[in-house]
Structure formats: C-alpha cells, structure tokens
Amino acid sequence: MTSNVRQVAIGSHTIFVDDDQPTFWERVEAGRWEPGTLGVLERFLRPGSLFLDIGTWVGALTLYAASLGAEVVAVEADPKALEQLGRNLAANPHLAERVRVVPRAIAAAAGPVRLGARRKPGDSMSSVLLAGAGETWTSPSVTPGEIAFGIPGRRRFDLVKIDIEGGEYALLPQLGPILDRAAALLLALHPDILQASGAELEPRNTLEILRGWNVERVGTTDLVPARLEDVVEAGPAEWLFTRADGLPPVEPS
C-alpha cells in the first residue's frame, strides 16, 4: 500500500480508498452520506447477488455492494472518476475480483457521447446535460441492451442504481432491456439540472416506463411509500422502485 491508501468505515463494513476525495470519505465515516441508500443495498444484496451501478463515480456503492458479497457491474464515463475508481479497486483486491468496470456512458444508441462538468471532471457532477458548460469531453457509449444481454447466464439484476445527474430522464424510456430483468431500481432524479439545462424533456412522460412498479422515497433512515405522481412533482430526491409482479425469472444460458 502507498501512503495515500486509508481505511474507511462505510455502513457495516470497512474498505480502503486511494482517491482524491478526503472530505467525501469523512462524511461517509461520520454516517452523514446517504445512510438510506446504504440500507437499500443491505436489503437487496447478499453473496451471489448482481448489482448494476450506473454512475459509479469513485466507487462508494460499488465497493459497499462487493463488501456485501454481491457481484457488480460498474458503469462510469468520467475519465477522472474512472482513474480514482481504479485506484480504489486496486486498494481492495478481495472486492475488485467481484467488480466489472464498464468505462462508457450509458446511452440509447451506439456512438460517442459528450459530457461535461461545471467545476471539473471527477467531481461527481458530470452529466450529458452539462456538455455545454464548464469542461467537456467525449466518451464511448454502451446501450442498455448491451449491458443486459452481456451478463453471463442472462441473470437478473437484484438491484439497479442510476445516478447520472439529470441524464436519467432521456435514458429511462430506453431502459427496457435492463428493467425487464431487474428486481428493483434505485433512481436518483435531478429535476433541477434538467430544468437548468433547457432540455425539452417532460419528466411525466419519461417516467411512464415505471408505471405499475411500487415506489418509495428513500429517506435518511426509512422508506416512505409514494406514487409515481409524487415522483414527478418532487424536487431532487432518490426513489426505490420494486416490481409489483415479483422477481423477474432467471433466464437459462
């Protein structure tokens, strides 16, 4: 280990980190970073589970999921975040063996994707909606179908997490291949970024793909039952969607 590697307590586990985010990890250790989110992972993930982490950043939830014994597909398009994610995985070789990193931007179609960050790459706030603001770059893409059909054994996702700073609105209507085999979706919505970007998207329409799913708002310590209409009308928040018809079947290889 180098002198930059440090031990961090996250939820009920301990990991090592080797990135450039000391203030963030101080919040994690103090229990001030998304305890409700960690609780959702604890509810759905166990040894042998499959977690899809879209918008991985430096890997906090990816590493926690792996600590719980889950296998992880980690999707991240920010080059600075990817570099730090790689260092964090290298600091946890026993967890890294359960993680597959997809260094691409998830998008409806193949081709290059422009992203941007208001402050700088790697700050956790990069988005396709910020491609015209601050520093920008281009990432190769991966489609929902490529992710879903590229999983060995065509297994179901026990939990899918999406946190892509406003890019979720354009992605959701194209997410069918993943949702068809997902038991639950942990979705961070950023209507403020969508509004500020001027993108001509109607949240009510983009969320229709989740009509019929059970929905709960993720709080600090608990989950609050909600309706899809509540999701549309709320400000920035995190939501848990679970299938009303139970778990999707495990498909044969």
Side-chain angles (χ1 to χ4, degrees), residues 204-252:
R204 187 177 305 276
N205 296 334
T206 62
L207 289 165
E208 274 300 311
I209 193 170
L210 295 167
R211 177 75 62 185
W213 289 58
N214 298 319
V215 58
E216 298 167 281
R217 185 166 185 160
V218 180
T220 303
T221 59
D222 55 7
L223 295 167
V224 180
R227 305 166 303 150
L228 192 62
E229 288 70 24
D230 299 326
V231 180
V232 172
E233 296 168 3
E238 192 172 33
W239 307 87
L240 176 65
F241 293 85
T242 52
R243 301 178 69 97
D245 55 356
L247 298 179
V250 176
E251 299 182 15

Side-chain angles (χ1 to χ4, degrees), residues 154-158 178-184 213 243 245-251:
R154 303 282 293 277
R155 295 165 55 193
R156 73 175 182 233
F157 296 106
D158 294 275
I178 289 174
L179 293 181
D180 285 347
R181 53 176 44 85
W213 289 58
R243 301 178 69 97
D245 55 356
L247 298 179
V250 176
E251 299 182 15

Side-chain angles (χ1 to χ4, degrees), residues 25 30 37 55 84 93-94 97 112 164 171 181 183 195 209 218 227:
W25 291 112
T37 302
Q84 294 174 75
H94 61 299
E97 62 187 15
I164 51 176
L171 176 64
R181 53 176 44 85
Q195 183 177 15
I209 193 170
V218 180
R227 305 166 303 150

